[in-house]
Amino acid sequence: FPEMLSNPKLALVQGTLNVVMKQNVTLSCLSEPGSPPVRYTLFKHNQQVSALNRSDLTPALFTLTISSASDVGEYKCKAEYNNSSGGKYSNSLNFTFIEPISKPVLSSPTSQAKKGQNVTLSCFSENGSLPITYQFFKGKQSISPQKTMQKREAAVIFLFIDSLSDFATYKCKANNSLPDNTKYSNAFNFTLAEERSHSQPLIISLGLILLLLTIGFALAIPFFIIPLYKASE
């Protein structure tokens, strides 16, 4: 008599449970103990995907290609003897579709700054599965702890421009739960704002006064100076 089948174990042997489009994954299904031959059937949402007969005690291997969002979700396998009723079901594995993040954009409301000024930097990836983790850099040095955003919104940091060394090249990076999917932003630089001299408003005022006096003198010539000159002849 064949040995009674145990509940098979469904395991991931290639790939990850967080998948991207067109990714290949391999699942193994094995019932131990059990007397071969055993028929293994893979199900997705209770719908049969594939079936294999094993004549030995090696696991049944199912290779899948995640080609659309409908390919993700819950998978189980079933082990049964041929020409027998019933069978035993395995644990379930759930695949989740992960969208790769897009290159983040680093920006600021102002591109000019001066010493002693507070400024902000924001980093935002328009596409990619949440949550997304951001980090900011000045040159190659990290200037902020990682900021994990659960919503589709930018990560923002506040900076104090203390010295000329703060007019450096800034970047940020973004990543999500997809392995090896870190993206770096564009480079951003603050430029030093020109500080206006305290004497500049005074010079402008004097220039306007001189201009008005010149115009007034020119207007007075035909009304006052010429009549006085004629009266003196």
Side-chain angles (χ1 to χ4, degrees):
F1 294 95
E3 187 175 1
M4 181 176 292
L5 284 171
S6 62
N7 289 90
K9 180 181 179 181
L10 183 65
L12 182 69
V13 295
Q14 180 187 348
T16 61
L17 292 178
N18 292 329
V19 293
V20 296
M21 198 70 72
K22 298 182 180 179
Q23 180 177 335
N24 292 327
V25 295
T26 301
L27 302 175
S28 71
C29 185
L30 178 64
S31 178
E32 292 182 313
S35 300
V38 178
R39 180 176 177 83
Y40 294 99
T41 306
L42 183 68
F43 294 89
K44 178 189 68 179
H45 300 306
N46 298 320
Q47 181 180 359
Q48 181 175 329
V49 175
S50 182
L52 292 172
N53 291 315
R54 305 304 296 170
S55 58
D56 51 26
L57 293 176
T58 59
L61 297 178
F62 300 96
T63 298
L64 309 172
T65 300
I66 306 300
S67 56
S68 68
S70 63
D71 293 327
V72 299
E74 184 184 66
Y75 284 79
K76 286 187 176 182
C77 71
K78 178 183 179 182
E80 60 186 332
Y81 291 123
N82 289 331
N83 302 319
S84 66
S85 60
K88 296 294 184 66
Y89 285 90
S90 72
N91 56 298
S92 62
L93 290 179
N94 280 278
F95 289 99
T96 303
F97 180 73
I98 301 295
E99 182 184 5
I101 56 174
S102 58
K103 179 179 179 179
V105 175
L106 182 65
S107 61
S108 175
T110 178
S111 60
Q112 292 188 332
K114 57 186 178 181
K115 291 174 61 177
Q117 181 179 344
N118 291 307
V119 295
T120 61
L121 282 173
S122 65
C123 186
F124 180 65
S125 287
E126 186 174 358
N127 298 311
S129 297
L130 298 170
I132 298 178
T133 300
Y134 297 94
Q135 193 167 13
F136 294 81
F137 297 86
K138 181 174 73 173
K140 295 182 179 181
Q141 179 183 2
S142 172
I143 57 173
S144 74
Q146 292 186 348
K147 293 178 174 286
T148 300
M149 311 304 293
Q150 303 289 341
K151 297 181 180 180
R152 186 75 60 190
E153 57 188 14
V156 178
I157 63 168
F158 300 91
L159 301 175
F160 180 71
I161 303 298
D162 188 43
S163 64
L164 291 177
S165 65
D166 294 324
F167 293 91
T169 298
Y170 293 87
K171 281 190 176 184
C172 67
K173 72 175 182 180
N175 62 277
N176 58 9
S177 59
L178 191 65
D180 303 320
N181 187 43
T182 298
K183 298 286 181 65
Y184 284 87
S185 72
N186 55 294
F188 186 90
N189 294 81
F190 291 104
T191 57
L192 181 62
E194 294 183 5
E195 297 189 11
R196 301 175 66 179
S197 171
H198 295 295
S199 61
Q200 192 173 14
L202 179 61
I203 295 174
I204 293 174
S205 299
L206 291 175
L208 289 174
I209 294 172
L210 182 60
L211 177 61
L212 291 173
L213 288 174
T214 303
I215 294 173
F217 182 75
L219 293 174
I221 290 177
F223 296 101
F224 297 100
I225 298 177
I226 293 179
L228 287 174
Y229 178 75
K230 288 183 177 180
S232 64
E233 290 182 347

